[in-house]
Amino acid sequence: MGQHKVQGRHSKTDPMPSELILSLNVNGDARRVLADANRSLLDLLRDDLGLTGSKHGCDVGDCGACTVLVDGEPRLSCITLAADADGCAVTTIEGIADAGRPHPVQTAFDDQVAAQCGYCTPGFVVALKQLFDENPAASDGEIRDVLGSNICRCTGYTKILAAAFQARDQLNGGDTSQGDE
Amino acid sequence: MPVVGKPGAKIDGLEKITGSAKFTDDFTLPGMLHGAFLRSPHAHATILSIDTSAAEATPGVHAVMLGVDLPKKYGVIPVAQDETALAIEKVRYVGEPIACVAAIDRATALTAARKIVVEYEQLEPILSIEDALDKSKPLIHEPSNPLRRKRASNCLRRVFQRYGDSKAGFEDADIVLEEDYDYPGSTHVPLETQTALAHYEGGKLTLWSSTQIPHYLHRILSKVLGMRTQDVRVIKPHVGAGYGGKSDPFCNEFCSAKLAQMTGRPVKIIMDREEVFYAHRGRHRTKMRLKMGIKRDGTITACDFKAWAEGGAYASYGVVTAYYFGVFLPLPYKLDHWQFESMRLYTNHPPCGPKRGHGAIQPRFALEMHLDKLARAIDMDPAELRRMNAVEPNTETSNGLRITSVALEECLDKVMEASGWKEKLGKLPPNRGIGLAASAYMCGALHPIYQTEMPHSAVQILADRSGRVAIYAGTADIGQGSNNMLAAFVADRLGIETTDCIVMEADTAFTPVDLGSYSSRVTFFAGNAAVNGAEKLREMIIAAAAAKLDCSPASLELDGGEVFHTKDAEKRLTFPQALVLAEEKFGTLSVVGHYKPPKIGNRFKRQSVGPSPAYSFTAQVAEVEVDPETGFVTIERIWCAHDCGKAINPTIVEGQIEGSVYMGVGEAMLEEHVFQKGALHRNPSLLEYKIPTVHDTPDIVSIIVESNDKEGPMGAKEAGEGPQLATVPAIANAIHDACGVWLNEAPFTPDKVLKALERKARADRKAAK
Amino acid sequence: MSSMLPLPSFDLKRPESVDAATRAMADNEHARLIAGGTDLLPSMKYGIFNDPVLVSTRRIAGFADITETDGGGLRIGAGATLRNVRRHPLVAERYPALVDACATIATPTIQAMGTIGGNVMLDTRCIWYNQSTFWRGALSGCLKCEGTLCHVAPKGTGCYAAHSADSVPVLTLLDARAELVSVRGARQVPLSELYDVDGRTWIMKERDELLTAILLPPAPDARIHHRKLRARGAIDYPLLLTAVRLDRGEGGVTGGRVIVSAVGPKPIEVEGVSELLAAGERERAAEVAYKQIFPLATHTWSSTWRKKMIRVEVRRALEAIS
């Protein structure tokens, strides 16, 4: 059962995975990054760009904790190749607030205490922001549909729904819409 | 405006919502290495040899460690220390970690780990309760002392307790019912997997970890590493939940520390989602036999309860679980003649441990269904049966549990009214039904895991001329809101806002000891410590202000960020002004509040599990619709009335009720911790281990009931676990009301419901002939 | 790097035309196509696929276009996301059952990522197969991947991994054809002939052929209904898929078809039900379906129960459009 300490070393003869130079706009900032082809967008954002708000819940696309926007569309960044965001505008949870002013979805989450442990929260906030960007008058049913993309284990979704409805109502000029189921 | 009782945002909510909150995997240290495990593919086998040479030779690998590198046994419960950081000589479940590799990145570590060659000799695995009880089968844990071999078994702990005379009680009964129940294993599924980051320098270790128990981890880690506790520092950053799944120390914590020592580099080890299913420490699959007797007037006369639990390969909290199976049986209903026998068995599966409601969920499932059956046998409203047997405030149960505040009746009243109970019971359209269940839960285990006369929780408050109030506490906020709770108590006593406080938690170098987030103790124990400390500071501030304002201390009030005379508007100071005065008068301001529970419940020898300074109470109603052709059950709504003593922040308390009920819904309808070929976890992923999405979760109506416990901090008790106990049986009882079938086995998946309906149809046809 | 579950290394080709894509597939014998990647990437993380070259369809010009064809049919580019298929006005107007089918796939986020082509080409699934390298290694693999034994049917010689593509039964009832292109030319295959009975080789296409479009004839004079049975209200793959078609003609319903899927490697078109459907005999048609189909234990939920559900789902699907 012998073992000894070994210094790591990249052998020049090891096959290199294909490397790409990617140009992305991340939360409004132009970035150029060198990435292996097999790098996930989530790992690129977290490790290379220090944007740790998007989370590894499962890393295989089952939970939504890694949700970001790519060209305004929702993406599970753990199963998105970084290469597929090349030339695109990426928005993460860190880019949801506007110059430090929380988005109505974020204010609603705070008011309703919709974040307990907070691990799923970035994914939900990004998904809801995207919904309201496209459809600020989304019905209760449309909201529930979108929330089906994300898993929460703490809240039972009750206050996440309340927060979503509050944000929707605020984005619609404060009137309490009667959303249909 | 008092802070305690106010709903709304918590002090550490926004950072989670903007993504700036840092969890353990969000930290990077220079030169950081990444670790990965090699895990056992066998359920039960002797390790004959391990060859790590190919792993070590892999470019990018810095170190490989094995079990023998950390041979010291540990266990979270001192009397059951049967684990090592990595397997030594033997593997006991599929997924048990055997080796750990530290490399420049996780991909390299994983690839290298797979190159480790292990030779095994397979042993017959113990895969069921029957196997575990069979003395002819191999032992999972061989006793170290060979003289003990003869009496050794695969039973970790058998508990038998008897109170009164249940035999006589059954004779006294008009109706006696005995049935078997089967409650499945399930696991916690926190969104954040276990993650640890270790930094070792100058003989000192710092470990960041996603844990519920920084203090116990600190002690056990030090012991296993052979280091002085003063040289080990455990820090808990934001944690993405635990529900009991992070109340043990884990292999990644030990191994990141050891590999950091071996390599001289920081080492981070995250568990991937599948690995969390192997770490487990979840709910024991429990088979139960329950016998109860009642009189025609509804009085419960006797109860015999037996439980056999599949515990997995290591003890974890299992010794304690064996007690929890029985000690709460006389709560919340009066019970004088009863006995229970429980056996917590070893099996070659991932080890079980505490999951929300620890050990009390399974018997509650059986008991609450059983009571419904008995209620129907005597033609009594099941709610009335609960009401008439409910324990009373300021009494003692037959097994010496001291009951203080009880608002169970009010919970029943409120939940019945909110749900329309009387109008609906037995009167809903076909295949629609309503069901009720009640329960009680402790507010912290009276006895800590290790014997001590020291405080169980303490809070240090520093306030100074800048106006800031800093609260240092060893508590572990895992999302349940303990940081806000501490700030709320302190702010309330000092007349400021929670946002004027800053909480520093869970850093063993700086924060006073709190034993951890388990057994629903934090609000009661740490809250009392916070109130205790805040009162001391309040006194000092009042004394200094009274001197300045030339009035009696009794005439001063603290509110709205001011210190003022209640009858003379001129005499007022801002809070920061008052702090300056206090700092002048008393010197640098620092107070410590601490809490140790009172000495109670020692009437019976070895009654170390069960006693608690207070108990919460719950009544819950579920309304369901059953699809008789498919067996699918839709839960329309669940109403939960929970006596939490006092809601410090009603929004957060509702969140705990909703989260508890949600977890009950998962266990009732979807979750199964089961194995292929007996030993291989069938569904170790978030796709196949099914936790409810928004579409699978009913509307949950939370009703807060306040009994204002005289020993709870400003009356507060608990809300984090209690509400879950009544959920599954309320649903089971509702299913029966809907379609006439009793499901003694959860989860109530459509195939089970359909089979029960088919069986009932056959029985009805037979009876009709 | 912190990655929780790393992907294996590969070379990524990003061709900008169908020509370039087919050449890349022909030139690399170990190349695999990737579109949205919502199924392929998780499988690669689980070590099920390990191809050293991936050929992405993302940059192929026009690959996601949805266009009307002469005669009122529709050409749906293979790269069209499920969300865009679902929202397309012509799909909603002419093939509403396809909207329903796409709406039940996984989650809205995955619908925004995954493509119709990816769904039509979806790998078959089984509880013994869709697991990590470690898990499958504990059993020495299975017949579909790295092993010699089918754990679902150990005494058999075939693989029973289940077809799990939600869009396929409806597309089949719409008489959709798949357009496949390679360096050797293009061909069209009716979807009903695209799939095979063995879970390992479930698609009858050459390795280097690229699915470029789904071709739909003009909407038939028929009502089509799709039902998905799954454990939860989102995310999950189907436990059972049922699609039914009732043809309209002189005097009402003239006949119909029933397809059941997620019960074996290929979707099953129930035989001999057309006359029953014309006669409105829904329960008898459901019984015929029940008698013809035998789901095996490829899912976490009971196969006995899934078989019983065939009767219920077929009948309910027919009720919905009668």
Side-chain angles (χ1 to χ4, degrees), chain A residues 79-90:
Chain A
I79 51 171
T80 299
L81 295 176
D84 280 342
D86 193 11
C88 298
V90 178

Side-chain angles (χ1 to χ4, degrees), chain B residues 235-539:
Chain B
I235 301 172
K236 176 207 79 69
H238 280 284
V239 166
Y243 324 110
K246 294 173 179 171
S247 307
D248 282 70
F250 287 104
C251 56
N252 65 327
E253 291 161 332
F254 296 110
C255 292
S256 61
K258 183 66 181 174
L259 287 164
Q261 285 178 333
M262 288 165 71
T263 61
R265 303 269 284 260
V267 177
K268 179 193 278 187
I269 307 180
I270 57 175
M271 286 198 199
D272 68 33
R273 182 51 65 180
E274 180 178 359
E275 291 183 285
V276 180
F277 287 92
Y278 302 136
H280 192 46
R281 316 290 152 151
R283 199 173 308 291
H284 294 65
R285 187 272 180 99
T286 312
K287 290 194 178 174
M288 299 169 276
R289 180 160 294 153
L290 177 61
K291 181 175 173 186
M292 283 184 85
I294 60 168
K295 283 175 137 50
R296 233 162 240 298
D297 71 357
T299 316
I300 299 171
T301 63
C303 173
D304 271 9
F305 180 69
K306 291 193 177 66
W308 299 266
E310 286 179 15
Y314 292 95
S316 178
Y317 287 75
V319 167
V320 169
T321 319
Y323 286 89
Y324 282 141
F325 284 136
V327 296
F328 295 134
L329 285 166
L331 269 178
Y333 315 115
K334 287 175 260 192
L335 196 55
D336 292 323
H337 306 283
W338 59 289
Q339 64 184 47
F340 83 92
E341 179 188 357
S342 70
M343 296 181 77
R344 197 278 194 174
L345 301 160
Y346 280 119
T347 56
N348 287 116
H349 294 129
C352 298
K355 183 187 176 194
R356 202 176 208 157
H358 191 191
I361 291 265
Q362 299 92 321
R364 187 56 37 192
F365 168 69
L367 203 113
E368 291 299 314
M369 284 185 73
H370 220 68
L371 281 175
D372 252 45
K373 294 168 187 172
L374 289 167
R376 279 156 211 282
I378 57 170
D379 213 12
M380 182 183 271
D381 181 339
E384 288 318 305
L385 183 60
R386 270 52 173 213
R387 189 191 302 275
M388 61 164 292
N389 284 289
V391 294
E392 319 241 332
N394 304 309
T395 55
E396 196 177 81
T397 64
S398 50
N399 63 336
L401 304 184
R402 184 200 71 168
I403 313 295
T404 53
S405 60
V406 182
L408 181 56
E409 270 216 62
E410 193 182 335
C411 290
L412 283 164
D413 287 338
K414 292 215 158 114
V415 88
M416 287 166 71
E417 191 194 318
S419 63
W421 175 259
K422 288 211 188 297
E423 296 77 52
K424 290 180 182 172
L425 181 66
K427 297 179 189 143
L428 289 170
N431 298 311
R432 233 181 137 96
I434 195 158
L436 177 144
S439 58
Y441 202 64
M442 60 185 160
C443 305
L446 199 81
H447 298 278
I449 278 169
Y450 62 89
Q451 262 283 71
T452 182
E453 289 302 318
M454 293 182 282
H456 293 208
S457 187
V459 166
Q460 180 176 29
I461 307 171
L462 301 182
D464 73 12
R465 65 197 80 169
S466 75
R468 76 99 164 89
V469 175
I471 303 166
Y472 292 76
T475 47
D477 195 316
I478 52 174
Q480 85 283 49
S482 58
N483 286 341
N484 196 79
M485 174 271 295
L486 296 171
F489 281 131
V490 172
D492 187 283
R493 299 325 297 136
L494 301 180
I496 55 179
E497 294 298 321
T498 53
T499 45
D500 295 326
C501 301
I502 183 163
V503 176
M504 174 160 167
E505 50 146 8
D507 180 334
T508 61
F510 291 103
T511 56
V513 171
D514 175 271
L515 297 180
S517 293
Y518 67 99
S519 74
S520 279
R521 56 181 294 289
V522 181
T523 294
F524 204 99
F525 289 44
N528 267 323
V531 171
N532 181 237
E535 291 287 0
K536 291 179 190 172
L537 183 57
R538 181 189 164 94
E539 251 185 63

Side-chain angles (χ1 to χ4, degrees), chain A residues 18 43 47 59 73 78 84, chain C residues 2-3 5 11 45 58 83:
Chain A
S18 81
D43 290 340
D47 293 341
D59 224 25
E73 303 240 314
C78 72
D84 280 342
Chain C
S2 257
S3 187
L5 262 188
D11 225 356
K45 289 185 174 208
R58 224 178 250 290
R83 198 165 86 139

Side-chain angles (χ1 to χ4, degrees), chain C residues 38 51 54 58 73 75 89 97 104 121 125-126 137 140 168 170 204 219 251 262 279 304 306:
Chain C
T38 55
D51 305 276
L54 290 186
R58 224 178 250 290
R75 177 196 168 86
T104 63
M121 293 283 127
R125 298 187 62 82
C126 176
S140 308
V168 168
V170 167
M204 321 265 261
T304 316
R306 282 162 58 230

